[in-house]
Amino acid sequence: MNRRDLIKSSLLTAGAIAARPGQASVTAAEEGIHIWPHVPRELNGGRMPNILWICPDMQRFDTIEGLNNDFIHTPNLRRLMAESVTLMRTYVQNPVCSPSRASFLTGRYPHTTGLRSLGQCIRPDEHLVTRILADAGYACGLSGKLHLSPTFGGRLEDRIDDGYSVFDWSHDISNLWPGHNMWRVWLREQGIKWPEPPPGNGGLPWGVPIDPKYTQTAWCSDRAIQFIRGQREFNPWLMSVNIYQPHAPYWPTEDYLSHYNPQDLPEPNYREGELKHKPIYQQVDHQGSSGGHGISFTRTGDLEHRKIKAAYYAMIEQVDTEVGRMLEVLDETGQAENTIVIYMSDHGEMLGDHGIFLKGSYFYEGAIRVPMVIRWPGRYKAGLRSDALVEMVDLAPTLLEAAGINIPQRIQGRSLTPLLTGQTTQHRDSIYCEFFDSLALYNPPPMAVCVRTEQHKLVYYQKIKIGELYDLEKDPSETYNLWDVQSAKSAREEMMHTLMERMIGTVDPIPERKCLW
């Protein structure tokens, strides 16, 4: 057999292998014509959708124009919502980065993934949804943050078999990982020096004097756009766009910051003295966030609080700009109709509510409730706004079902497909969240769990044996702790039973039982 016949034979064999039931196999190859593999198909014969998964870091739920905020500018998210299902009450399973990310990437609760706190590594045998999709034929790419193992002080993040074949890693905007933070590498290649904050800034609001196109936010989008264009002929694909903003420090570019007048923005949701009847951890963070080490609510005034909000909104507005760019490239390349677009966040930000900034061992709506917008044209109900209770563990099984892949027994979330397609309006009776010493900054270490129903939210701190109870119908701002109120005793007991049921229900379903004994 000569070289030409050998190549021709190889192409024919590859084509036959690529063919699946219901597809015609390649039976002839013309000389000079490339033979591409067929687009993988679902088990039911449908085409497997692409997935554009956009996840900014630390964006709370009430930060979208036209949905729940009249002060912020997010026109592209507003457009996306008109074409999508917006899940109004979506909750993360931990209010801190790593445990939350491990949870929604696996569809499993933090204590089952083994990644319960910052500084821990996800168990090496955990199966990320990206790995499962890659095994089914997806090309998976990432730009930005992953954070499934420690990164403190410049430690390089360990990777398990995560399924990402394109991995443009940029944990945050610092330069703690020289040569490894790919955004910083790119900046150096462009001859751009990232400006230093003013002396004594201490993480307070600052407009960075630089063109927005050089930010990590824009870079993450650029890498995603390059991936989307390059994959047009090689569907299906998944692209994780893990932008660091609006995470602190509160440093948008000066251009975006100029769009907001702090004095026009509302003050934080805080009532003087409310923390007296709440767990000690909140009182500590009232003096300085992150265990007393960060921004202090008590040592900053009303104007500074509003400036922080202005900077936070400005960062989200730039994220919105990049969302618009990515949606445009889907349209330009003809891939929008068969691409699921997800917009969400890994957890929220206190933003001064209850006298606290950033995040910690508490479960207020601002900390654990996040945006969730999902679009799949022709499949999911455009313009639907759902008030169903949703957990972030529900996303992984939803994506697998959309791709026609059987949901493994190990996954603990519930598919959102009936909700997204309008077949039902209900999903869960409660949401469950946990904080098992997730930030090693407190003494004693907080070991806390939370459950929320339609009417109530209950939090219990195991080591200090106290808790919180809120009637969300009468007190949606979560100001008045009813834990020790006699008239709320029956509600507390009922919620403790619900909490026990949810904790038992999150026991790891694997390993699978093989026989009776």
Side-chain angles (χ1 to χ4, degrees):
M1 179 181 291
N2 61 31
R3 183 172 181 273
R4 178 181 295 177
D5 290 338
L6 178 62
I7 293 172
K8 182 175 180 180
S9 175
S10 298
L11 289 171
L12 290 170
T13 302
I17 292 173
R20 298 190 178 195
Q23 293 177 304
S25 62
V26 177
T27 56
E30 297 180 25
E31 188 175 347
I33 301 297
H34 289 290
I35 306 299
W36 303 113
H38 287 292
V39 175
R41 294 182 177 273
E42 298 178 12
L43 299 179
N44 63 7
R47 186 177 176 187
M48 299 171 84
N50 306 316
I51 302 167
L52 175 59
W53 192 346
I54 307 169
C55 181
D57 194 333
M58 215 162 172
Q59 182 177 350
R60 51 188 281 157
F61 73 100
D62 54 355
T63 51
I64 297 179
E65 175 188 356
L67 179 65
N68 44 30
N69 194 314
D70 295 330
F71 300 95
I72 199 167
H73 311 304
T74 57
N76 294 296
L77 287 177
R78 190 169 188 164
R79 169 210 157 183
L80 180 62
M81 285 193 308
E83 302 165 349
S84 308
V85 178
T86 302
L87 301 174
M88 307 279 283
R89 294 195 292 179
T90 299
Y91 293 83
V92 297
Q93 273 48 77
N94 190 293
V96 175
C97 297
S98 292
S100 176
R101 289 170 181 268
S103 185
F104 66 68
L105 281 166
T106 59
R108 288 158 56 77
Y109 292 93
H111 63 267
T112 57
T113 69
L115 209 174
R116 301 176 301 278
S117 66
L118 295 181
Q120 290 184 317
C121 297
I122 190 171
R123 290 194 179 103
D125 60 349
E126 284 296 319
H127 297 178
L128 271 59
V129 66
T130 47
R131 175 71 268 165
I132 299 171
L133 289 169
D135 289 342
Y138 275 74
C140 296
L142 174 142
S143 62
K145 184 173 181 176
L146 184 59
H147 207 189
L148 298 182
S149 72
T151 56
F152 181 76
R155 186 186 191 276
L156 287 178
E157 180 169 356
D158 296 324
R159 291 176 63 188
I160 64 171
D161 186 10
D162 51 43
Y164 289 112
S165 54
V166 173
F167 195 74
D168 291 321
W169 186 80
S170 173
H171 180 77
D172 64 22
I173 64 172
S174 72
N175 198 27
L176 288 174
W177 306 271
H180 296 280
N181 184 334
M182 299 310 296
W183 164 65
R184 283 280 188 167
V185 170
W186 174 80
L187 276 184
R188 188 173 64 247
E189 291 172 349
Q190 306 307 306
I192 300 298
K193 181 175 175 58
W194 187 255
E196 293 294 327
N201 173 267
L204 291 172
W206 171 52
V208 183
I210 199 168
D211 190 318
K213 71 181 181 182
Y214 294 118
T215 60
Q216 196 247 23
T217 299
W219 176 85
C220 285
S221 175
D222 289 341
R223 302 304 294 167
I225 288 171
Q226 181 178 350
F227 180 89
I228 292 168
R229 290 189 185 281
Q231 291 297 321
R232 174 161 49 174
E233 301 297 332
F234 301 98
N235 298 330
W237 51 260
L238 176 147
M239 183 66 200
S240 295
V241 191
N242 295 342
I243 297 166
Y244 188 66
Q245 288 186 328
H247 195 293
Y250 306 103
W251 294 347
T253 64
E254 56 185 4
D255 176 49
Y256 278 94
L257 186 57
S258 70
H259 299 174
Y260 297 89
N261 180 355
Q263 294 180 330
D264 293 338
L265 302 179
E267 63 184 357
N269 165 35
Y270 171 66
R271 184 180 62 84
E272 188 70 35
E274 71 168 271
L275 298 182
K276 182 191 297 187
H277 304 289
K278 297 187 179 183
I280 186 65
Y281 307 111
Q282 298 178 35
Q283 299 169 33
V284 170
D285 282 8
H286 182 53
Q287 302 300 319
S289 58
S290 301
H293 303 281
I295 293 175
S296 169
F297 188 93
T298 60
R299 294 192 293 273
T300 49
D302 179 66
L303 182 58
E304 285 82 6
H305 301 161
R306 295 173 196 253
K307 285 182 177 179
I308 289 173
K309 185 170 287 189
Y312 183 75
Y313 285 4
M315 290 191 285
I316 293 172
E317 184 178 347
Q318 189 187 355
V319 173
D320 178 83
T321 297
E322 299 308 323
V323 169
R325 292 181 60 220
M326 288 182 274
L327 294 179
E328 284 179 7
V329 80
L330 287 178
D331 291 335
E332 291 170 7
T333 58
Q335 299 182 80
E337 291 302 309
N338 196 49
T339 298
I340 296 174
V341 177
I342 304 161
Y343 187 89
M344 50 165 274
S345 185
D346 60 343
H347 56 80
E349 148 80 65
M350 291 302 295
L351 208 60
D353 288 354
H354 308 286
I356 303 169
F357 287 101
L358 301 180
K359 60 195 173 188
S361 57
Y362 21 84
F363 302 88
Y364 292 113
E365 295 288 281
I368 63 171
R369 186 174 166 190
V370 294
M372 177 65 87
V373 183
I374 307 180
R375 184 183 80 176
W376 190 6
R379 301 292 189 100
Y380 297 159
K381 202 171 177 67
L384 176 64
R385 296 184 182 184
S386 170
D387 284 325
L389 292 173
V390 169
E391 293 185 348
M392 199 63 83
V393 290
D394 299 332
L395 188 54
T398 304
L399 296 180
L400 294 179
E401 186 170 24
I405 299 170
N406 292 330
I407 299 171
Q409 182 181 2
R410 66 187 302 117
I411 286 184
Q412 296 174 291
R414 304 176 185 173
S415 173
L416 296 164
T417 300
L419 201 60
L420 298 173
T421 55
Q423 298 173 55
T424 184
T425 59
Q426 301 297 315
H427 184 64
R428 289 183 177 272
D429 295 328
S430 65
I431 66 96
Y432 169 80
C433 193
E434 63 189 47
F435 189 104
F436 294 152
D437 194 20
S438 298
L439 276 174
L441 298 169
Y442 305 93
N443 187 25
M447 302 294 286
V449 284
C450 167
V451 67
R452 187 232 143 112
T453 61
E454 290 287 342
Q455 183 175 355
H456 291 102
K457 179 183 290 184
L458 180 138
V459 179
Y460 181 69
Y461 292 83
Q462 175 257 340
K463 285 187 177 293
I464 57 178
K465 301 188 186 309
I466 62 173
E468 297 167 88
L469 175 66
Y470 300 103
D471 187 329
L472 300 175
E473 291 182 356
K474 297 177 180 178
D475 179 27
S477 64
E478 301 175 284
T479 299
Y480 301 98
N481 183 9
L482 304 177
W483 181 262
D484 289 322
V485 175
Q486 183 63 30
S487 61
K489 183 180 178 180
S490 61
R492 189 178 98 176
E493 291 180 352
E494 181 181 347
M495 289 297 290
M496 286 294 284
H497 282 293
T498 302
L499 176 60
M500 188 182 302
E501 290 172 359
R502 289 306 315 271
M503 291 185 70
I504 293 171
T506 62
V507 169
D508 198 337
I510 59 171
E512 181 182 356
R513 173 177 281 168
K514 300 296 185 181
C515 58
L516 291 178
W517 63 81

